[in-house]
Structure formats: structure tokens, C-alpha cells
């Protein structure tokens, strides 16, 4: 299959494992940074810092605005134009960074936040220019299935940021200084990916045409608005809590989400890893396209459900790691953990819509999702505070997010997946939690340690973990270290498909 490595199975395993390991490390490091700020600067300072990171998350997406995914799709389908498309992407990112920086400053003034919050936002906005550069190399790494270099660069950035935050918090620095540490990490991130990819990266500037950049940006517009709405969706709770509650509510909610977001990031890493082969298989091999998506979805739900068990079973112990002040966040974490399974499924199904080129449908679904979440928060937060925010988040994600995405994505992509094994996996997760509750150890470290092996044991026994899939992964990894036969080079490290030549109707 054009543009893909010979041993695609090994490439997917390598990229997925490196992404998950790297993202877990990054999440642990960010959790440690949050604990440093809470313990040395207080929960209110942490609330301010979390609020600014939520705003910067939206700004960073505006710098991306879906052009990375569209550029990856275009390069996968036309590898010979890689240099031209990357050069066009450079022009797009430069323009986006300048525009978004101006919008960020205007938004902070428009929302009438205190002067120190605005100043911190301006300092954080300088990191957008470095992040724009990172996206160029991220596109290249994704197209060449070298995504471990991307996450390695971010790890280097966070390793520089952690001691900087420690010294700043110890000196009782302002939120401006704390956000400056974040900007520093973005600058180091950019320098690292340039270093990691400087030898292979090449641009086609002499052959670049204006329509190349405009074509990528125009195709990305629906996806960009979808991503912007998703960012608004994820940051809506802290923003509304900051206006309808206080910074302590923001701190408690953000503390709970510090444990939930790593799970979502891991699932996004799996989704991003399989996006490249899905984009390549689209219109070329229906069987490989469906099989890749099926295997990826089952793997993501298996991991997501297991992490849901750990978060739910040991919620009190986990939030205590951040600091004694965060004890009230345990109930929020237990509620929010139920949304992990729904997010795992909807995140893994969304690439089908993008690969199929139906971004407009995803846009409308996301608009409905954001409207419903804003309405739920507007009704629940004044009545139940931060608890209402957690309930509204999970309810909207399951009812308005997951179920429609399952149906719409399969219909638009023209593939219908098998859901029996996924249902069994989710059932095993709830049975494992029930076992911990019956033993009376919920909320302790022992629950977190016990629930994982119980869950895996049930999944193996009841069929949530297919043994044949483990054998396929083993063959892919072993095949990395020996010559490959032609039949083993097909697909995602799985058995060759008899209908390899089956093609889609345009």
C-alpha cells in the first residue's frame, strides 16, 4: 500500500506504545506540576493557572484549526507532493499564529479578567508561535509514522518546565511567572522537534503555489470549527465556573480533570496513530479499512475502560496526591470517570468522518453538543455548583456525544463495526468496580491496585481481550526483527485479507 511502512503492524505498535507511554509521562508530570502549585502557591493560584491553560488550549487549536489532519490526509494520498504541502503549511501556520495571538489578547480584555490574568495570557500567547512551528514537524512525523519523535520533543519541554515551576512556586511567584514557565516549555518543545527531524525534513518552496495552502486551509475549515467547538466544549466548565462560582470551584474541577484528561489523551494517541493507515486505505481497501478501525476501537475501549476502573476505584487516594486541599475533588473525579468510556468511543469513531471527507456533518454534531453542554451547565451550575458541572459533562457526553457519533460515523464511512466485544469489555469494567465495592476498599490505593487485574482477568475470561489479536500483535513485533513475506506486509499486522483488492465506490 503506497506511502506505508513495510511492516505496518510494527509501526502502529511502536507509534501507539510510544505515544501512550509519552502521554502518560506528560500527564504525570503535569499532575506533579499541579501539585507543586497547589502545595506551594495555594488552590486559588492553581485555579488561575488552570483557567489560563484552558484559554490557551483554545488558542492552540486555532493555530492548528484542523490543517494538520487535512495535510496528513493529502500527503498520505499524494506522497509525491509532500514537500510542497509542507511548505504551504508553513505559510498557513505563520499567518494563523499572528492572528490568534491578536484574538487572544482581545478576548482576555473582552472577558474583563483582572489585569494580572490578562498579562499572564499575553505571556502564554507568545508560546503560540513556537507551537505553530511544532505543528509543521508533527505533520511530517505523522505522515512518516515517526510520531514517537513528536512526543519525545514534548517530554523534553515538560522536563524543562517542571523545575522552573518549582523555583517559581517556592518564591511565591505570580501567575504571570507560572505561565511564562509554560511558554518556555513550548519553546523547548519546538527546538527539540526541529532537532529530531532536521535530517529527513524537506520543503518544496520553489514549487509552492498559493492554491496549495488555500486548498488545505479551505478543506480544513469545517474540521477547524469542529476542533474549536471541541476545545470550547472541554473548557466550558472551568470558564463557566469562573464566572458563576469562584476560583476554588475551578481548582477542584481542574484537579479532577487532571486525572481524566490523560485517559482522553491516550485514546487520542491511538486515534492519531491509526489515522494515517485509515486515510491510506480509504477508497483502496474496504476490508483493511474496516479491520483497522475495528481493532483500534476495541483496543481503545479496552484501555479506556481499564483506566476508568482505576480512576473510579481510587478517587480519594488520587486527589490526595495533589494536596489535602483537594479532597473535595474526589466526588467530581468519580463522576467524571464515567465519561471516560463515552469519550473513548466517540474519539475513536470521529476519524471515520474526517477520512470520509464529511467534516460538515461533524461540525453540526459538535455545534449541537456544545449548545447542549452550555445549556446543561447554565441550569446545573447555579443549583449544584461544581457537582452540577460534573454531572452535566458526563450526561451530555454519553447521550448527545457518543450515541450519535457511533451511528453517524459508521453511516458516512460506509462500514458497520461489531460491538459485542466492546459491550463485554465495558461490562467487565463495572463488574471489577462492583468487586471492589463489595470488599469495602473503594477510595483506597488497594482498590486501584486490585481493580486492574480483576478487570483484565474478567476481560480475558469473557472474551473482552481476543487472544488471536494478541497473537497478531506478537507476529508484528517479531516481524520487525526478521524479513517480511509479501503477505505479512499487508494490513495492520494482521492476517492478509482475502478481499484486498476490494475497492470503494467514490
Amino acid at each position: 500500500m503506497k506511502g506505508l511502512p513495510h511492516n505496518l503492524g510494527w509501526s502502529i505498535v511502536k507509534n501507539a506504545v510510544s505515544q501512550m507511554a509519552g502521554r502518560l509521562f506528560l500527564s504525570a508530570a503535569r499532575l506533579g506540576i499541579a501539585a507543586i502549585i497547589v502545595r506551594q502557591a495555594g488552590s486559588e493560584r492553581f485555579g488561575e493557572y488552570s483557567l489560563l491553560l484552558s484559554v490557551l488550549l483554545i488558542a492552540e487549536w486555532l493555530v492548528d484549526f484542523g490543517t494538520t489532519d487535512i495535510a496528513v490526509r493529502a500527503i498520505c494520498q499524494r506522497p509525491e507532493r509532500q514537500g510542497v504541502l509542507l511548505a504551504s503549511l508553513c505559510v498557513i501556520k505563520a499567518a494563523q499564529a499572528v492572528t490568534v495571538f491578536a484574538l487572544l489578547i482581545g478576548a482576555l480584555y473582552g472577558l474583563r479578567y483582572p489585569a494580572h490574568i490578562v498579562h499572564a495570557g499575553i505571556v502564554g500567547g507568545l508560546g503560540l508561535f513556537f507551537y505553530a512551528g511544532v505543528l509543521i514537524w508533527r505533520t511530517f512525523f505523522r505522515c512518516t509514522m515517526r510520531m514517537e519523535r513528536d512526543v519525545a520533543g514534548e517530554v523534553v519541554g515538560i522536563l524543562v518546565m517542571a523545575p522552573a515551576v518549582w523555583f517559581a512556586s517556592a518564591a511565591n511567584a505570580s501567575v504571570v511567572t507560572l505561565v511564562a514557565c509554560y511558554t518556555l516549555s513550548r519553546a523547548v518543545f519546538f527546538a527539540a522537534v526541529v532537532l529530531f527531524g532536521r535530517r529527513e525534513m524537506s520543503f518544496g518552496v520553489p514549487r509552492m503555489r498559493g492554491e496549495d495552502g488555500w486548498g488545505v486551509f479551505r478543506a480544513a475549515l469545517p474540521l477547524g470549527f469542529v476542533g474549536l467547538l471541541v476545545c470550547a466544549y472541554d473548557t466550558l466548565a472551568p470558564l463557566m465556573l469562573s464566572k458563576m462560582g469562584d476560583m476554588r470551584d475551578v481548582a477542584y474541577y481542574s484537579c479532577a480533570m487532571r486525572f481524566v484528561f490523560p485517559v482522553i489523551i491516550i485514546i487520542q494517541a491511538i486515534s492519531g496513530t491509526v489515522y494515517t493507515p485509515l486515510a491510506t486505505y480509504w477508497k483502496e481497501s474496504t476490508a483493511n479499512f474496516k479491520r483497522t478501525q475495528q481493532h483500534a476501537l476495541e483496543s481503545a475501549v479496552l484501555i479506556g475502560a481499564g483506566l476508568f476502573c482505576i480512576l473510579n476505584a481510587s478517587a480519594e487516594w488520587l486527589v490526595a496526591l495533589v494536596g489535602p486541599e483537594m479532597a473535595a475533588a474526589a466526588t467530581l473525579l468519580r463522576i467524571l470517570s464515567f465519561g471516560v468510556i463515552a469519550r473513548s468511543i466517540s474519539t475513536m469513531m470521529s476519524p471515520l468522518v474526517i477520512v470520509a471527507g464529511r467534516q460538515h456533518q461533524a461540525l453540526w454534531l459538535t455545534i449541537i453538543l456544545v449548545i447542549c453542554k452550555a445549556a446543561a451547565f447554565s441550569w446545573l451550575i447555579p443549583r449544584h455548583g461544581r457537582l452540577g458541572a460534573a454531572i452535566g459533562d458526563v450526561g451530555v457526553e454519553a447521550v448527545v456525544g457518543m450515541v450519535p457519533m457511533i451511528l453517524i460515523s459508521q453511516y458516512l464511512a460506509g462500514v458497520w463495526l461489531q460491538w459485542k466485544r466492546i459491550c463485554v469489555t465495558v461490562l467487565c469494567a463495572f463488574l471489577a468496580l462492583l468487586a471492589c465495592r463489595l470488599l469495602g476498599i473503594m477510595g483506597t490505593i488497594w482498590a486501584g491496585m486490585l481493580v486492574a487485574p480483576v478487570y483484565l482477568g474478567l476481560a480475558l475470561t469473557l472474551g473482552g481481550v481476543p487472544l488471536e489479536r494478541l497473537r497478531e500483535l506478537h507476529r508484528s513485533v517479531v516481524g520487525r526483527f526478521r524479513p517480511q513475506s509479501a503477505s505479512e506486509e499487508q494490513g495492520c499486522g494482521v492476517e492478509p485479507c482475502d478481499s484486498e483488492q476490494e475497492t470503494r465506490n467514490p
Side-chain angles (χ1 to χ4, degrees):
M1 199 67 67
K2 65 181 182 179
L4 293 179
H6 291 302
N7 190 340
L8 182 57
W10 164 252
S11 294
I12 288 180
V13 170
K14 177 192 68 172
N15 281 276
V17 171
S18 63
Q19 287 277 300
M20 287 188 289
R23 298 301 172 191
L24 278 175
F25 176 83
L26 289 169
S27 299
R30 289 175 182 133
L31 181 63
I33 289 171
I36 291 171
I37 296 173
V38 169
R39 291 174 182 270
Q40 296 192 1
S43 58
E44 186 170 350
R45 182 67 50 78
F46 175 65
E48 294 174 341
Y49 174 78
S50 299
L51 174 65
L52 284 163
L53 286 191
S54 298
V55 175
L56 289 174
L57 175 65
I58 297 177
E60 288 185 347
W61 173 257
L62 284 172
V63 174
D64 186 329
F65 210 66
T67 52
T68 302
D69 283 336
I70 297 300
V72 170
R73 186 181 71 183
I75 293 171
C76 287
Q77 295 173 354
R78 298 189 65 185
E80 71 279 1
R81 291 183 56 77
Q82 174 177 293
V84 174
L85 290 170
L86 287 175
S88 301
L89 201 60
C90 289
V91 177
I92 295 172
K93 293 303 157 199
Q96 285 178 277
V98 173
T99 304
V100 174
F101 182 70
L103 290 174
L104 173 64
I105 297 174
L108 290 172
Y109 277 109
L111 290 171
R112 298 182 179 179
Y113 282 116
H116 68 286
I117 298 290
V118 176
H119 296 159
I122 294 173
V123 172
L126 296 176
L128 297 175
F129 296 96
F130 298 110
Y131 186 69
V134 167
L135 293 174
I136 306 298
W137 269 263
R138 177 172 293 171
T139 302
F140 173 72
F141 292 147
R142 288 180 63 181
C143 291
T144 56
M145 298 295 283
R146 295 186 177 97
M147 291 169 242
E148 70 278 1
R149 301 185 187 185
D150 179 19
V151 73
E154 194 163 2
V155 167
V156 174
I158 206 76
L159 288 175
V160 173
M161 178 182 176
V165 170
W166 174 274
F167 286 115
S169 299
N172 195 27
S174 67
V175 70
V176 177
T177 305
L178 293 175
V179 174
C181 296
Y182 178 80
T183 301
L184 173 64
S185 74
R186 284 322 205 194
V188 175
F189 184 12
F190 172 63
V193 295
V194 171
L195 181 65
F196 295 154
R198 70 188 188 284
R199 293 183 179 178
E200 296 91 351
M201 176 72 89
S202 62
F203 298 98
V205 178
R207 296 170 289 141
M208 187 178 65
R209 299 172 299 177
E211 56 265 30
D212 291 319
W214 173 242
V216 170
F217 187 78
R218 183 176 55 191
L221 278 175
L223 182 58
F225 284 114
V226 168
L228 177 60
L229 290 170
V230 169
C231 288
Y233 178 84
D234 286 333
T235 59
L236 201 56
L239 288 174
M240 294 186 71
L241 283 171
S242 72
K243 292 297 183 181
M244 305 171 78
D246 56 34
M247 285 300 173
R248 288 188 177 273
D249 287 330
V250 176
Y252 290 136
Y253 191 90
S254 298
C255 176
M257 289 303 296
R258 290 277 170 179
F259 294 95
V260 174
F261 270 135
V263 183
I264 299 172
I265 290 172
I266 290 171
I267 303 304
Q268 289 174 338
I270 300 174
S271 175
T273 300
V274 300
Y275 180 84
T276 299
L278 285 175
T280 304
Y281 289 141
W282 176 249
K283 294 185 178 179
E284 291 196 10
S285 174
T286 303
N288 276 343
F289 181 88
K290 179 178 179 179
R291 186 171 63 251
T292 301
Q293 176 63 22
Q294 182 76 49
H295 292 184
L297 177 63
E298 291 175 359
S299 300
V301 173
L302 179 67
I303 295 170
L307 294 174
F308 151 72
C309 289
I310 296 173
L311 294 178
N312 195 288
S314 56
E316 285 79 4
W317 178 77
L318 287 173
V319 298
L321 295 175
V322 179
E325 294 182 67
M326 294 293 107
T331 302
L332 300 180
L333 176 56
R334 183 158 284 125
I335 295 172
L336 290 169
S337 68
F338 284 94
V340 166
I341 297 176
R343 284 293 289 264
S344 298
I345 295 174
S346 58
T347 298
M348 288 306 301
M349 297 302 293
S350 58
L352 296 184
V353 181
I354 300 171
V355 171
R358 308 298 289 273
Q359 297 93 309
H360 289 86
Q361 283 78 358
L363 175 60
W364 285 111
L365 177 60
T366 310
I367 289 174
I368 295 172
L369 197 62
V370 173
I371 291 174
C372 291
K373 193 171 186 179
F377 284 168
S378 298
W379 188 75
L380 289 170
I381 290 178
R383 291 167 174 79
H384 305 287
R386 55 182 179 267
L387 189 65
I391 294 172
D393 185 285
V394 174
V396 172
E397 182 61 46
V399 177
V400 186
M402 180 185 67
V403 175
M405 180 58 74
I406 289 174
L407 299 175
I408 292 173
S409 61
Q410 292 181 102
Y411 172 76
L412 294 177
V415 295
W416 297 95
L417 306 177
Q418 301 297 318
W419 293 88
K420 179 180 178 181
R421 183 169 287 152
I422 294 169
C423 293
V424 170
T425 301
V426 175
L427 175 62
C428 292
F430 283 102
L431 290 176
L433 280 179
L434 178 61
C436 289
R437 187 165 293 279
L438 292 175
L439 291 173
I441 59 174
M442 290 290 284
T444 67
I445 185 176
W446 309 112
M449 296 175 62
L450 177 64
V451 74
V454 170
Y455 162 70
L456 289 176
L458 289 170
L460 283 168
T461 303
L462 299 179
V465 179
L467 295 178
E468 66 273 13
R469 190 71 43 72
L470 297 178
R471 297 190 191 101
E472 291 167 1
L473 289 175
H474 177 264
R475 285 196 294 271
S476 297
V477 175
V478 171
R480 167 68 176 83
F481 304 101
R482 63 178 172 80
Q484 292 256 290
S485 67
S487 61
E488 289 175 323
E489 292 177 1
Q490 302 182 49
C492 291
V494 295
E495 292 297 328
C497 176
D498 293 334
S499 54
E500 173 68 27
Q501 300 303 319
E502 181 181 354
T503 58
R504 296 177 180 274
N505 292 323

